[in-house]
């Protein structure tokens, strides 16, 4: 797979006068822009520079896409196509404006609409028949309009305000061209559980799962606004006067676990193919059931991580289930067992 050359990226950034380190004081933006994952999610604090990161990610990916997609963006064939998607057209304005400014700073012949509802940006040289790239704004209010064309890349602006259907549709639209997806937003508690997908994806992608990566972009990292970073007096005062939940999510860009939740189950993160390791001990956990099924989980610990690698789920009496377990290849490695409190009742 072709990836963006750091030399080319640095040259482009230098040409437009952009320094992601902000004079060596910002370590977060460089880390995000150095990431080569296909899907990237940035959970940022307020005024943290999310839109700047998104626009610069596009600038980084554009040369890579020209090399990857032969016949596109060469002035002869169709243009490279990109979307700026948001819950409402207005939320695309910052990224739309930054991208225009960057292309103009590179001395390129850029044309664009005067509005973003909808809007477009196009790059076409005078002596060429077709544009080299086209960027279109899209609103998530009507997801049926997200079904046409297959962009080479999509930026979802203020993604946390979008419904999960918008995310799923965008993910589907970049698939035919093996395109990229960049999501940025701030955790939004007021939008309720329907927006929980953004929080869920952030958690699932933190470890770099399946070419997906998530980042926090805290507000204090943007020294253009918070000149003393975390030590900025007005920021320290805000922290003193705010709830821990507000400051953690809206300023630090980190999710606060739901109240009372012991464990968050995320299918993308917690379901995978694993096998019994004959060199490790096995623990079993049993729920004996009564009118329903008898369930037994087979468990191994690998580097302090719990792996449930098998399950016996039968609508049979306990003795039958024991016989089934005894036939399992891992039965001889059982060293301990745990049972639901229902095990003290008469049927168990």
């Amino acid at each position: 797979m072709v990836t963006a050359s750091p030399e080319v990226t640095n040259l482009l950034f230098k040409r437009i006068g952009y320094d992601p380190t902000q004079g060596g004081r910002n370590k977060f933006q460089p880390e995000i822009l150095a990431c080569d994952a296909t899907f990237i999610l940035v959970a940022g604090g307020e005024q943290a520079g999310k839109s700047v990161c998104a626009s610069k990610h596009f600038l980084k990916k554009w040369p890579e896409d020209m090399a990857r997609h032969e016949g596109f963006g060469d002035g002869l064939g169709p243009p490279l196509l990109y979307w700026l998607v948001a819950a409402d057209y207005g939320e695309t304005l910052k990224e739309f404006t930054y991208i225009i400014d960057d292309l103009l700073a590179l001395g390129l012949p850029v044309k664009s609409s005067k509005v973003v509802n909808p809007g477009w940006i196009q790059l076409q040289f005078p002596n060429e028949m077709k544009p080299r790239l086209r960027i279109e704004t899209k609103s998530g209010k009507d997801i049926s309009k997200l079904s046409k064309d297959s962009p080479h890349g999509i930026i979802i602006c203020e993604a946390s305000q979008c419904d999960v259907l918008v995310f799923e549709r965008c993910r589907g639209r970049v698939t035919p061209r093996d395109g990229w997806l960049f999501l940025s937003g701030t955790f939004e508690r007021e939008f309720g559980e329907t927006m929980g997908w953004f929080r869920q994806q952030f958690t699932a992608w933190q470890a770099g799962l399946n070419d997906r990566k998530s980042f926090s972009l805290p507000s204090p990292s943007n020294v253009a606004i918070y000149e003393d970073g975390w030590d900025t007096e007005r920021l320290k005062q805000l922290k003193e006067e705010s709830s821990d939940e507000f400051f953690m999510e809206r300023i630090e860009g980190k999710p606060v676990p739901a109240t009372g939740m012991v464990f968050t189950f995320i299918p993308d993160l917690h379901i995978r193919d694993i096998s019994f390791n004959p060199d490790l001990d096995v623990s079993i956990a049993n729920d004996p059931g009564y009118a329903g099924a008898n369930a037994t989980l087979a468990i191994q610990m690998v580097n302090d991580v719990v792996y449930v690698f098998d399950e016996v789920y039968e609508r049979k009496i306990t003795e039958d289930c024991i016989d089934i377990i005894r036939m399992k290849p891992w039965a001889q490695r059982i060293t301990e067992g745990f049972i639901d409190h229902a095990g003290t009742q008469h049927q168990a």
Side-chain angles (χ1 to χ4, degrees), residues 10-311:
N10 291 335
L11 178 60
L12 289 173
F13 288 171
K14 185 176 181 180
R15 286 285 301 273
I16 64 174
Y18 170 65
D19 174 14
T21 72
Q22 292 185 299
R25 301 178 62 194
N26 189 329
K27 68 177 183 180
F28 293 90
Q29 287 192 25
E31 183 182 9
I32 295 168
L33 292 170
C35 180
D36 288 324
T38 302
F39 289 3
I40 294 176
L41 183 152
V42 175
E46 297 174 355
Q47 298 295 307
K50 301 183 298 295
S51 298
V52 171
C53 266
S55 63
K56 302 308 178 283
H57 182 75
F58 159 77
L59 195 61
K60 166 192 169 181
K61 297 293 286 187
W62 177 34
E64 173 186 316
D65 291 338
M66 283 192 287
R68 288 180 60 209
H69 301 284
E70 186 177 353
F72 287 88
D74 57 6
L76 299 174
L80 290 165
L81 177 63
Y82 303 94
W83 286 355
L84 301 178
V85 179
D88 183 80
Y89 283 115
E91 297 296 344
T92 67
L93 181 60
K94 285 186 177 180
E95 287 82 354
F96 185 85
T97 303
Y98 288 147
I99 290 174
I100 292 175
D101 290 345
D102 290 345
L103 294 175
L104 289 174
L106 291 172
L108 298 172
V110 181
K111 292 184 179 180
S112 67
S113 62
K114 295 182 179 180
V115 296
V116 294
N117 58 334
W120 55 269
I121 303 169
Q122 200 158 280
L123 169 62
Q124 184 170 3
F125 289 92
N127 61 336
E128 295 181 344
M129 295 293 294
K130 296 183 179 181
R132 287 183 174 254
L133 72 84
R134 182 175 174 86
I135 303 168
E136 300 174 349
T137 62
K138 302 286 183 180
S139 170
K141 288 184 177 179
D142 185 1
I143 63 170
S144 65
K145 294 182 179 179
L146 298 178
S147 60
K148 184 182 178 181
D149 300 322
S150 296
H152 298 88
I154 296 176
I155 296 174
I156 305 183
C157 314
E158 295 298 342
S160 54
Q161 297 182 18
C162 292
D163 190 271
V164 66
L165 295 177
V166 174
F167 165 65
E168 291 177 343
R169 184 62 62 90
C170 289
R171 184 171 58 179
R173 295 321 304 160
V174 297
T175 299
R177 300 202 190 283
D178 191 22
W180 52 267
L181 191 60
F182 187 97
L183 307 88
S184 67
T186 301
F187 293 117
E188 302 280 2
R189 283 185 171 263
E190 63 266 32
F191 285 92
E193 290 303 316
T194 60
M195 301 305 167
W197 70 268
F198 184 80
R199 191 182 307 269
Q200 186 181 63
Q201 297 304 321
F202 174 87
T203 304
W205 295 2
Q206 275 194 296
L209 177 70
N210 297 332
D211 204 24
R212 291 149 168 75
K213 190 75 175 75
S214 64
F215 297 89
S216 289
L217 183 63
S219 302
S221 68
N222 187 0
V223 295
I225 293 178
Y226 296 104
E227 60 279 357
D228 294 321
W230 296 95
D231 293 325
T232 303
E233 284 300 323
R234 61 184 181 277
L235 187 63
K236 293 197 290 187
Q237 183 177 356
L238 176 64
K239 185 175 184 178
E240 291 177 0
E241 297 173 352
S242 304
S243 66
D244 292 340
E245 291 81 4
F246 171 88
F247 197 85
M248 186 172 176
E249 291 194 335
R250 303 292 298 182
I251 303 300
E252 295 182 354
K254 298 178 180 179
V256 175
T259 303
M261 182 173 290
V262 177
F263 176 74
T264 302
F265 179 75
I266 303 169
D268 285 349
L269 183 62
H270 296 126
I271 297 179
R272 66 187 67 180
D273 291 329
I274 55 175
S275 302
F276 163 58
N277 186 335
D279 296 325
L280 298 176
D281 291 336
V282 174
S283 302
I284 59 173
N286 175 252
D287 183 350
Y290 188 44
N294 186 304
T296 302
L297 302 180
I299 303 164
Q300 289 186 312
M301 293 287 292
V302 181
N303 297 325
D304 294 327
V305 177
V306 177
Y307 286 91
V308 179
F309 65 89
D310 199 0
E311 179 182 27

